[in-house]
Amino acid sequence: MTQHIQKHDQLIKVGVSPLSWVNEVLDDLGKGTKADQCLSEAKTAGYAGVETSKIFPSDPSELKTLLHKHDLQLISGWYSGFLTEKSVEDEFKDVISHAELLKACGSSVMVYGECGHMAQDALDIPMSHRLTLSLDAWKHYGERLTLFAEKVKSEFDIRIAYHHHLMMVAEKLDEIRTLMNTTGDAVGLLLDTGHAYAGGFNYTDLISEFGSRINHIHLKDVRKNIFKDIKNRDASFNEGVRAGMFTVPGDGMIDYEPLAQFLKNSNYSGWILVEAEQDPAKANPLSMVSSAYQFIRKQILKN
């Protein structure tokens, strides 16, 4: 039975990312995995929905048919944006097909990841080599991002959920603060527990400072000793993924009690989603996401 918690008009649903089955960047991780395996195992584990993946059809009607077959919803989907480098008009032209896919499949949130102003081969170089934005650049970027988010909302009734992320321009807490201060309310914030820890801060800071703008939640845990080794060696993001620095909630060191209290006491309504880049050959997907689902049910939703 799929799990959700309902409080008055608040509805929280639990989903899972296909990243536990197949990596979107590292082609060898999960190579050959079929969409039916991912979706059937997601449903078996108890989840109500998934985000987009390269192993899913890009045609809206085909994707809707496939999801319906497994009784799953399309939660959202990652969009690689380049608004640090492009105009709002050009970015909007590029997002149309993705937005149409999300809307056709009933999604109301788009995960936005800023892939502009990144070092060459950013995920394969030492993490200390990340590029950052100047305060002046942040101001202009925030203006473009706000206009873009407003246009996506107006045209497709889809809200942007901005993904703070290692090796991207909004990785550290002060950068996320600048992001939130230079954008309007149309730009929602995706809370990612694992990227917060790996970015050097506690996710509770985002809850306390920007709770009202959080419109999507990724549950990613961190294996502390592996992450510490990656950090000490100044290894790359992808080296960290291969080494297993990320895992599903309940299998790492992150404390999820503050998140449980946030969900209980706030007006947050939407999805919480297990998203952990792992090597499926080392971390069996069905086993990992099943244990994560039970952890969420008992420790986060507490029902």
Side-chain angles (χ1 to χ4, degrees):
M1 178 179 291
T2 54
Q3 190 73 29
H4 66 271
I5 182 171
Q6 188 156 10
K7 181 183 70 176
H8 306 305
D9 60 348
Q10 176 192 23
L11 179 65
I12 297 171
K13 294 183 179 181
V14 185
V16 64
S17 168
L19 279 173
S20 287
W21 287 267
V22 60
N23 195 278
E24 294 294 305
V25 177
L26 299 170
D27 289 334
D28 59 308
L29 300 191
K31 184 176 182 179
T33 300
K34 303 300 183 184
D36 277 316
Q37 177 194 340
C38 170
L39 295 173
S40 64
E41 291 183 352
K43 186 65 180 180
T44 296
Y47 295 94
V50 295
E51 288 189 337
T52 54
S53 170
K54 65 183 182 183
I55 62 173
F56 297 163
S58 58
D59 177 79
S61 61
E62 291 180 20
L63 182 54
K64 285 172 68 176
T65 299
L66 181 62
L67 292 170
H68 180 75
K69 171 185 172 182
H70 294 280
D71 189 26
L72 290 166
Q73 293 179 251
L74 185 67
I75 301 168
S76 182
W78 170 280
Y79 176 72
S80 296
F82 289 86
L83 278 165
T84 50
E85 304 169 359
K86 291 163 58 175
S87 69
V88 174
E89 293 74 17
D90 287 344
E91 192 66 83
F92 185 76
K93 290 177 185 175
D94 288 343
V95 83
I96 288 175
S97 62
H98 183 62
E100 288 177 340
L101 175 70
L102 295 181
K103 185 173 179 62
C105 294
S107 302
S108 60
V109 173
M110 179 190 298
V111 175
Y112 182 96
E114 181 57 53
C115 294
H117 198 69
M118 291 178 70
Q120 187 172 358
D121 300 320
L123 300 184
D124 291 308
I125 62 175
M127 284 197 273
S128 65
H129 293 188
R130 181 177 68 98
L131 300 182
T132 59
L133 288 178
S134 68
L135 286 177
D136 186 60
W138 268 112
K139 179 177 181 295
H140 296 293
Y141 174 61
E143 291 171 352
R144 291 195 296 275
L145 185 61
T146 300
L147 291 172
F148 175 76
E150 290 172 346
K151 194 168 180 61
V152 171
K153 180 68 169 66
S154 174
E155 296 290 330
F156 298 102
D157 196 27
I158 292 174
R159 286 206 66 201
I160 295 298
Y162 193 100
H163 197 331
H164 59 98
H165 198 289
L166 293 182
M167 297 308 292
M168 297 183 180
V169 295
E171 173 185 292
K172 307 296 185 185
L173 180 58
D174 62 341
E175 292 164 339
I176 300 170
R177 285 175 174 148
T178 303
L179 169 76
M180 292 285 94
N181 290 333
T182 55
T183 56
D185 287 342
V187 179
L189 178 64
L190 186 154
L191 169 64
D192 188 299
T193 55
H195 278 283
Y197 179 87
F201 63 95
N202 196 311
Y203 74 85
T204 57
D205 291 329
L206 299 184
I207 289 175
S208 61
E209 295 184 36
F210 311 111
S212 65
R213 290 180 69 177
I214 294 172
N215 63 343
H216 203 45
I217 296 174
H218 280 176
L219 306 176
K220 190 196 315 289
D221 217 327
V222 176
R223 293 187 176 100
K224 187 176 182 179
N225 290 339
I226 296 177
F227 175 72
K228 183 179 180 180
D229 175 63
I230 293 296
K231 195 78 171 174
N232 287 342
R233 292 192 291 109
D234 196 18
S236 70
F237 178 87
N238 279 337
E239 283 182 82
V241 169
R242 290 186 182 281
M245 69 178 180
F246 292 134
T247 185
V248 298
D251 188 49
M253 47 69 58
I254 291 177
D255 178 10
Y256 285 92
E257 181 58 26
L259 178 65
Q261 293 304 312
F262 170 67
L263 295 176
K264 178 182 177 182
N265 298 318
S266 73
N267 292 320
Y268 181 82
S269 185
W271 290 86
I272 57 175
L273 181 102
V274 173
E275 193 222 40
E277 297 98 325
Q278 297 189 97
D279 182 348
K282 299 176 181 177
N284 178 267
L286 179 57
S287 175
M288 296 301 290
V289 302
S290 295
S291 66
Y293 180 81
Q294 295 304 318
F295 176 82
I296 292 168
R297 185 177 68 84
K298 296 173 183 176
Q299 302 298 325
I300 299 180
L301 298 183
K302 299 182 185 294
N303 59 0

